[in-house]
Amino acid sequence: MSENSAAPGTPPAGGTPSGGAPTATAPGPQPEPIRFFGTTWVDHDGGYGLRRAGVAVGSLAAAVAACFILRFAYQGLEIAEVGSLVGILVIAMFSICSAIAFRKTWEGFGARPKDPAREDALRGLKSIGFIGSLLAYFVRSLTEAPGEKLRRAEYEKARTQFEKRRSTRTGNPAARKSSGRKRPKRT
């Protein structure tokens, strides 16, 4: 969230990306866009419901397709006759990584990571367990845009802080009376 600056991917102040009529951006914090939703999550407009349905169907379809691909990979291991121990290890690895990826993705929808370096270290683990991340997107998109609750809380907090600061800055500070002590004029 930034004050007085547009969010990435939004049209610049004074114009639209398609060259239409100029638009004025409201002063203050701008909402942070969410992947696949942009800033439609703020007012639930611009096809928000259809986008949520699309994300739910797309993430579930991708998870099912990934399961089929893993099934073919497992059948390849059976054809290669590598042994039952390797098969069990592969299943355990994907199951554990998917569970960790689901949990970390789900936690990411509710709070910003406390340690970004740790999140970077878990990136490989989360990519192995990508099915868990896809399922977390599916489950979350049934109730809201993934990450909407966190972004809405941050946006509302920034808006109230902006309004509070703006209301305390009323009047022209240069027109205020000095406290009896005059400053020398600059020449």
Side-chain angles (χ1 to χ4, degrees):
M1 271 318 128
S2 63
E3 292 182 16
N4 302 326
S5 64
T10 59
T16 60
S18 61
T23 58
T25 17
Q30 300 298 317
E32 185 177 348
I34 297 176
R35 181 181 296 156
F36 305 121
F37 293 91
T39 57
T40 61
W41 60 268
V42 177
D43 296 324
H44 292 187
D45 61 350
Y48 172 81
L50 290 175
R51 290 175 191 229
R52 255 188 49 208
V55 167
V57 169
S59 60
L60 185 61
V64 169
C67 287
F68 278 120
I69 290 171
L70 289 178
R71 178 175 175 239
F72 294 139
Y74 183 75
Q75 286 176 345
L77 290 175
E78 286 180 345
I79 291 171
E81 297 177 359
V82 293
S84 61
L85 178 64
V86 173
I88 291 171
L89 288 175
V90 167
I91 291 172
M93 176 193 63
F94 276 105
S95 301
I96 292 169
C97 290
S98 291
I100 292 170
F102 181 91
R103 191 180 107 234
K104 287 297 186 181
T105 304
W106 191 265
E107 288 173 356
F109 295 146
R112 300 277 182 188
K114 291 177 176 68
D115 187 11
R118 181 170 163 79
E119 289 297 316
D120 287 341
L122 291 175
R123 187 175 299 160
L125 191 85
K126 286 171 67 174
S127 63
I128 292 171
F130 64 98
I131 294 175
S133 293
L134 290 170
L135 291 176
Y137 262 88
F138 168 71
V139 173
R140 181 60 91 164
S141 63
L142 294 176
T143 58
E144 67 176 9
E148 177 182 350
K149 187 177 183 181
L150 171 66
R151 304 280 192 334
R152 187 171 301 283
E154 290 175 346
Y155 178 62
E156 293 299 325
K157 182 180 176 185
R159 291 290 304 171
T160 55
Q161 287 176 350
F162 176 76
E163 292 300 324
K164 184 178 177 182
R165 283 193 312 259
R166 189 171 184 175
S167 66
T168 59
R169 287 190 265 162
T170 58
N172 184 355
R176 290 186 191 146
K177 291 185 178 181
S178 60
S179 59
R181 193 173 122 185
K182 290 189 175 183
R183 292 186 181 171
K185 289 186 178 180
R186 291 186 180 174
T187 57

